[in-house]
Amino acid sequence: MASSPSPRSSEAREKARQIAAKQSKRSSKSSRLWWQIGVVVVLVLIIGIIAAVYTHNKKGEIPDSGPVPTSANQYGGIVVTKDGIKKDTSDVDTRDVNDLKTSSASASPDDESKGKETTLPVGMPTADEAKKNGQPARVTIFQDYNCIHCAEFEKANGEEIKKQVLDGDATLEIRNLNFLDQETSTEYSSRAAMAAYSVAEQVSPEKFLDWQAEMFSHQGQGGMSNKELADLADKYGADIKDDLDSNKYRPMVNVTVAESQENGLSGTPTSYVDSTKFTGQSFTDFLNNIKKAKSGS
């Protein structure tokens, strides 16, 4: 005959069951709590990612129109003379990439054009104007701070151009382009071009040309960050951090590039003295020959 469980063992089993039930309930609550915490964390991460993408996209949206830097003419050129960097020379306060100017002026024949006249980039003096304006020979350089050939041109000719400008024997106009933006992940060419406008607003011709020489010494290194650009500008006495971070002059960079392309510019460096394009081996000889012709000597 089987014995029936004792009251004491039944009571023990019941306590064990109650304890197990309580532990299961606690475990269920704990799991639910952690699941809720996990959901909240995921939601926060998603919101953060969406906010970051939105902020990045907003920052990347460059307006079609923007201010003309005080250091530039209306074509985006920074004009450097012995007396200073020309300021407030633009006929307009803003430029729009949808409203580009075109040139109908003819450039002087050069070796590349095989004796034929070509279209002169917009805003530059014609050969006739250059002869009559009574001004020093005007050197105009279309360049990109991330261009290896521009860096080579600067290394070969920068000091001589600087000397002639500071001596009053030549005027220099620089138009910075961004043809090589795609070579970096940070659109370095555009940001460097913006930096040039802001530096030119704040420093002397000599310091600006020294800053430019150092800028070209960084070519081929992947491009500097905004902080590095600002630190380099600070070395020459210019505070450009806010201008860079706000993309203040990026619309003007885009206008200068689009307008240059609209008027036939396809590569950098492209250099002119007055209305004649440089195509030879020695820029110094080229510049001096045009100066002699201009003076009639």
Side-chain angles (χ1 to χ4, degrees):
M1 180 177 177
S3 60
S4 60
S6 67
R8 184 171 296 177
S9 63
S10 296
E11 182 180 346
R13 282 197 296 272
E14 177 60 22
K15 285 184 177 179
R17 186 191 67 76
Q18 291 175 357
I19 291 171
K22 287 180 179 179
Q23 289 177 339
S24 177
K25 191 173 182 179
R26 287 197 195 100
S27 178
S28 177
K29 286 182 177 179
S30 178
S31 297
R32 187 163 58 250
L33 176 62
W34 281 110
W35 182 84
Q36 291 171 338
I37 292 173
V39 169
V40 171
V41 169
V42 170
L43 286 173
V44 169
L45 286 173
I46 291 172
I47 292 170
I49 291 170
I50 292 172
V53 170
Y54 176 79
T55 301
H56 176 76
N57 288 340
K58 289 298 288 182
K59 189 174 181 180
E61 291 176 2
I62 306 301
D64 288 346
S65 178
V68 177
T70 59
S71 58
N73 57 35
Q74 65 201 62
Y75 309 107
I78 298 170
V79 179
V80 187
T81 75
K82 73 180 182 64
D83 297 319
I85 296 172
K86 290 192 174 182
K87 306 289 176 61
D88 299 313
T89 60
S90 174
D91 293 339
V92 294
D93 294 329
T94 62
R95 288 295 312 274
D96 191 308
V97 75
N98 299 303
D99 181 22
L100 302 178
K101 312 301 181 185
T102 56
S103 173
S104 59
S106 296
S108 301
D110 57 57
D111 293 341
E112 288 182 355
S113 69
K114 298 180 180 179
K116 297 180 180 179
E117 290 188 342
T118 57
T119 301
L120 190 67
V122 66
M124 291 174 55
T126 65
D128 191 52
E129 290 170 342
K131 287 178 182 178
K132 297 176 180 179
N133 63 16
Q135 300 296 317
R138 190 184 192 91
V139 177
T140 303
I141 303 174
F142 295 82
Q143 62 180 34
D144 184 324
Y145 285 116
N146 200 35
C147 163
I148 185 170
H149 300 298
C150 299
E152 291 169 349
F153 183 89
E154 167 66 28
K155 185 176 181 179
N157 303 295
E159 277 300 316
E160 178 61 25
I161 292 173
K162 174 184 172 182
K163 179 180 184 303
Q164 296 216 25
V165 169
L166 296 181
D167 286 347
D169 295 327
T171 294
L172 172 65
E173 179 177 353
I174 295 168
R175 299 193 196 182
N176 288 307
L177 308 182
N178 64 1
F179 288 170
L180 295 176
D181 259 355
Q182 72 278 7
E183 297 296 320
T184 65
S185 62
T186 61
E187 298 183 328
Y188 174 64
S189 294
S190 288
R191 294 186 298 106
M194 286 195 297
Y197 288 134
S198 297
V199 171
E201 287 181 333
Q202 302 176 52
V203 304
S204 67
E206 183 173 10
K207 285 188 175 181
F208 177 78
L209 295 174
D210 288 344
W211 169 83
Q212 169 157 293
E214 186 160 352
M215 281 288 290
F216 277 120
S217 74
H218 290 270
Q219 190 282 330
Q221 298 177 15
M224 289 182 278
S225 67
N226 278 6
K227 182 180 184 307
E228 290 170 323
L229 286 169
D231 287 344
L232 180 58
D234 182 67
K235 176 180 174 181
Y236 292 91
D239 180 0
I240 68 171
K241 180 181 182 303
D242 290 344
D243 288 354
L244 286 176
D245 290 344
S246 66
N247 284 320
K248 182 176 181 180
Y249 293 135
R250 181 61 182 278
M252 190 66 216
V253 173
N254 291 345
V255 169
T256 303
V257 173
E259 203 159 68
S260 296
Q261 291 175 313
E262 182 79 10
N263 288 276
L265 261 292
S266 59
T268 56
T270 299
S271 307
Y272 289 82
V273 177
D274 286 336
S275 65
T276 305
K277 186 178 178 181
F278 169 59
T279 57
Q281 297 298 313
S282 170
F283 184 80
T284 299
D285 290 346
F286 175 72
L287 171 58
N288 288 335
N289 287 337
I290 290 181
K291 283 168 55 182
K292 288 178 182 178
K294 185 171 183 173
S295 65
S297 59

